[in-house]
Amino acid sequence: MAEYRLNIGSYSLGVLLLISVAVIWVAASQLIKVIFSEDFSKPFFVTYFNTVGFTLWLAGVPYVKSWSREMYSIDEKTGQLKWRTYLNLAMRFAPAWMTANYLFNLSLVYASVSSNSILSNTSSLWTMLLSIIFLKEPATCVGVIAVGITVADAYVPPETAVPKPVPTIEPTGIPDTPTHIPTMQPSPHPSS
């Protein structure tokens, strides 16, 4: 049995990168929400623009030797150039990627970033269920516990889920007044 030894440096780097991804994800969602609130509610355009941006990485293929070697080597399984294999995989994966990101951006038009993030935290549950159903993967005890912890992390207690009403200020600067306002009635006996 191989001995498992934790490399603290690699582990710390992994945790740091994971936190960075979470911060970037929430910051990007906040930015998209701000963009949509400024009379530019076009989630398809934002999704398309971001997805097309991935092709910029391909510009580096001729200049990075390790990338060039990888792209122009032969795939052992298919016997064709690897770039054709990658293209084939991308053509299958791209529609699902585009649809998922479009729906995520569209949800930012109708929901808050915090609600969106809470619901996104439950994605591990759906991934596990769909893997069990369609891929026939076994449900392991560790996997079920990990998904349970992740979903429990997304739980918001009911008393904190509903915001309390905040008094509004009228344009005149006077707070809202009750609907019944006592009025001064003239005295029935004038003093003469």
Side-chain angles (χ1 to χ4, degrees):
M1 184 172 160
E3 183 180 323
Y4 177 75
R5 194 174 290 184
L6 180 64
N7 183 342
I8 299 297
S10 294
Y11 182 78
S12 299
L13 178 62
V15 169
L16 179 66
L17 290 174
L18 186 59
I19 291 170
S20 299
V21 167
V23 168
I24 291 168
W25 188 270
V26 172
S29 297
Q30 289 286 2
L31 178 63
I32 290 171
K33 187 75 173 172
V34 167
I35 290 170
F36 288 167
S37 69
E38 295 178 357
D39 295 331
F40 186 80
S41 184
K42 306 216 181 316
F44 184 80
F45 172 78
V46 171
T47 305
Y48 184 79
F49 184 77
N50 289 340
T51 303
V52 168
F54 287 137
T55 60
L56 294 176
W57 288 104
L58 296 176
V61 170
Y63 304 106
V64 180
K65 289 181 183 178
S66 61
W67 291 3
S68 290
R69 272 187 262 123
E70 174 70 18
M71 294 299 275
Y72 294 107
S73 63
I74 302 293
D75 188 358
E76 294 173 5
K77 290 181 183 177
T78 62
Q80 60 183 345
L81 290 172
K82 282 195 177 177
W83 70 267
R84 286 183 182 264
T85 303
Y86 292 144
L87 180 65
N88 201 0
L89 290 171
M91 295 302 284
R92 287 190 231 163
F93 183 70
W97 175 266
M98 181 77 172
T99 302
N101 280 286
Y102 170 67
L103 292 175
F104 182 85
N105 289 337
L106 183 63
S107 71
L108 288 173
V109 172
Y110 300 107
S112 68
V113 173
S114 57
S115 298
N116 199 307
S117 296
I118 289 169
L119 290 174
S120 294
N121 266 354
T122 64
S123 65
S124 59
L125 173 66
W126 307 115
T127 302
M128 182 177 179
L129 288 175
L130 293 174
S131 295
I132 291 169
I133 293 169
F134 293 112
L135 301 177
K136 307 294 185 217
E137 290 187 8
T140 63
C141 186
V142 173
V144 170
I145 290 171
V147 168
I149 290 170
T150 304
V151 171
D153 181 49
Y155 173 72
V156 177
E159 62 272 2
T160 61
V162 179
K164 296 179 181 168
V166 178
T168 59
I169 305 248
E170 295 294 318
T172 60
I174 302 170
D176 288 340
T177 55
T179 54
H180 174 69
I181 302 173
T183 58
M184 301 284 287
Q185 297 293 330
S187 171
H189 304 293
S191 60
S192 29

